[in-house]
Amino acid sequence: LLSGRLARAFPVRELAPGEVVPDDLAALFVLGGRNLTEKDLLPIDRFVRHGGRSLFAVDGVDVDINRNLAAVSIGQTALLRLLAGYGVSIDNALVLDASARRIPVQRPVGQLQVQALETYPLWVAAQAIGVSRTHPLTARFQGLDFLWPSPIEAAPPPGVASEVLAASSRDSWIMREPFVTSPFQLQ
């Protein structure tokens, strides 16, 4: 879905795990990647360390939408260890926020089942105040939604600059295992 939309405006090429990343690549998107091995990550690491631009969209917790939103910690994968080496740690936890999107929920009302939209704190809505207005990547965003996000901490090594592009609100909190992800059980 993402590659199809990007391909409308940019040339997109999918790389196989472990494939050499071309030096002239404008940007590398690493989506998921929990099954990548140390060997698979060598070309990615080389690309990043030589100044390549990259976006990592990874999880610390797996939420299975096909199993009643069952959630389990990813653990420490090779990719999470690589990111930690760059000064980025992704916690095996979930962020919840009062500033959240709504989810359709069916509730019994007498003999009827009524569908309603209810605030779901695990679908974090980073509103305009939490999105960088100065960075070209996010300057035009009105907000950004994160479904079942994990906390991220950036502690870049000396000489490396970092910038927060999107953040949850001040009314956010963290959930650790055991994870309660069902909208019927969340309080």
Side-chain angles (χ1 to χ4, degrees):
L1 181 66
L2 177 63
S3 64
R5 289 192 179 185
L6 285 173
R8 292 179 194 162
F10 306 100
V12 174
R13 178 177 166 209
E14 189 171 330
L15 300 175
E19 186 177 341
V20 172
V21 180
D23 290 332
D24 63 346
L25 195 67
L28 174 67
F29 286 29
V30 179
L31 309 175
R34 92 177 49 128
N35 295 325
L36 293 175
T37 66
E38 303 279 343
K39 185 178 177 184
D40 295 335
L41 293 170
L42 290 174
I44 295 170
D45 185 45
R46 182 190 166 284
F47 178 77
V48 170
R49 291 191 184 273
H50 285 91
R53 296 178 180 188
S54 56
L55 170 89
F56 291 88
V58 299
D59 297 314
V61 174
D62 179 45
V63 178
D64 189 343
I65 61 172
N66 295 316
R67 289 192 39 231
N68 203 26
L69 304 180
V72 294
S73 168
I74 299 291
Q76 282 304 304
T77 65
L79 180 55
L80 293 182
R81 286 191 298 276
L82 175 72
L83 292 174
Y86 299 153
V88 177
S89 63
I90 298 171
D91 197 351
N92 295 123
L94 292 169
V95 175
L96 294 87
D97 200 325
S99 176
R101 291 290 168 213
R102 296 159 62 96
I103 189 170
V105 176
Q106 286 192 349
R107 298 235 185 242
V109 176
Q111 299 291 337
L112 301 173
Q113 289 287 329
V114 177
Q115 184 163 345
L117 290 173
E118 297 182 8
T119 301
Y120 185 58
L122 287 158
W123 285 0
V124 175
Q127 301 298 323
I129 195 168
V131 177
S132 172
R133 293 278 169 235
T134 59
H135 196 281
L137 186 63
T138 54
R140 294 185 181 183
F141 286 179
Q142 297 300 313
L144 198 55
D145 297 336
F146 298 96
L147 310 182
W148 303 287
S150 295
I152 299 173
E153 185 176 324
V160 175
S162 73
E163 178 181 349
V164 175
L165 299 181
S168 57
S169 79
R170 293 181 184 197
D171 296 323
S172 61
W173 65 100
I174 294 175
M175 177 192 298
R176 301 198 181 282
E177 287 186 284
F179 300 113
V180 178
T181 55
S182 168
F184 300 107
Q185 295 174 325
L186 281 173
Q187 297 297 324

